[in-house]
Amino acid sequence: LASFERRVHNSAAAEFTEALAQVHKIAWMRMREIVVSNPTGFLTCHVLDTARGCPAAGMELSLRRLDEASGAWELLGSFVTNDDGRLSSGPALKGGAMHPGKYEWLFCVGDYFAAQGAAYAPAGTPFLGEVPIRFGIDDPESHYHVPLLCSPFSFSTYRGS
């Protein structure tokens, strides 16, 4: 209803543009169901330690996918970043393992900063323990790159390239 209220006062040109975008979205969803994809895409990540100004080497992380039918998260893999803050094994998902759906990276930021020493890990409970990043994969033929920039007290992410 909120979407409708937002559109009520559109000009004819603006409404045409919005309606065309909706038709495109519906066509995309229908085509995805009937066309066999060529799964050439892959999923990567990169973790940067903004407190120390370097890649976050040795950070543990895991990747999960939401099973839409059961509502449960399925563990796809557990990883540790290399000296460059990336996965040593290459992409976490590629080829036939790439499926449209909802995913989650879980970064063990608190443990990583605790291992860096007292200057980076205040005593007691860390402000950031685990950082979950939930994202969607819509096109298994695309490259999805999810960087994490983090410090003991903040983090940021975006869809990279």
Side-chain angles (χ1 to χ4, degrees), residues 44-124:
T44 57
C45 76
H46 189 195
V47 188
L48 298 172
D49 175 340
T50 58
R52 299 184 320 133
C54 62
M59 182 181 290
E60 295 180 8
L61 62 150
S62 60
L63 177 66
R64 303 185 312 167
R65 178 176 40 231
L66 180 63
D67 179 334
E68 296 283 350
S70 70
W73 288 94
E74 170 193 3
L75 180 65
L76 301 179
S78 296
F79 309 92
V80 177
T81 57
N82 63 16
D83 289 344
D84 194 34
R86 301 174 190 272
L87 305 183
S88 297
S89 57
L93 297 176
K94 62 183 174 182
M98 288 285 287
H99 300 285
K102 296 176 183 172
Y103 291 80
E104 178 186 76
W105 280 117
L106 186 65
F107 299 89
C108 297
V109 173
D111 290 345
Y112 166 80
F113 282 108
Q116 306 314 308
Y120 299 100

Side-chain angles (χ1 to χ4, degrees), residues 101-157:
K102 296 176 183 172
Y103 291 80
E104 178 186 76
W105 280 117
L106 186 65
F107 299 89
C108 297
V109 173
D111 290 345
Y112 166 80
F113 282 108
Q116 306 314 308
Y120 299 100
T125 304
F127 182 70
L128 295 175
E130 295 177 331
V131 172
I133 304 293
R134 291 191 174 169
F135 61 98
I137 291 180
D138 192 48
D139 180 4
E141 296 179 13
S142 291
H143 175 199
Y144 288 79
H145 182 65
V146 183
L148 178 71
L149 291 74
C150 60
S151 79
F153 305 103
S154 67
F155 67 92
S156 176
T157 191

Side-chain angles (χ1 to χ4, degrees), residues 6-7 10-25:
R6 182 182 52 79
R7 293 171 61 181
N10 279 357
S11 67
E15 183 57 26
F16 178 79
T17 301
E18 184 137 2
L20 194 58
Q22 291 296 317
V23 168
H24 179 265
K25 184 176 180 179

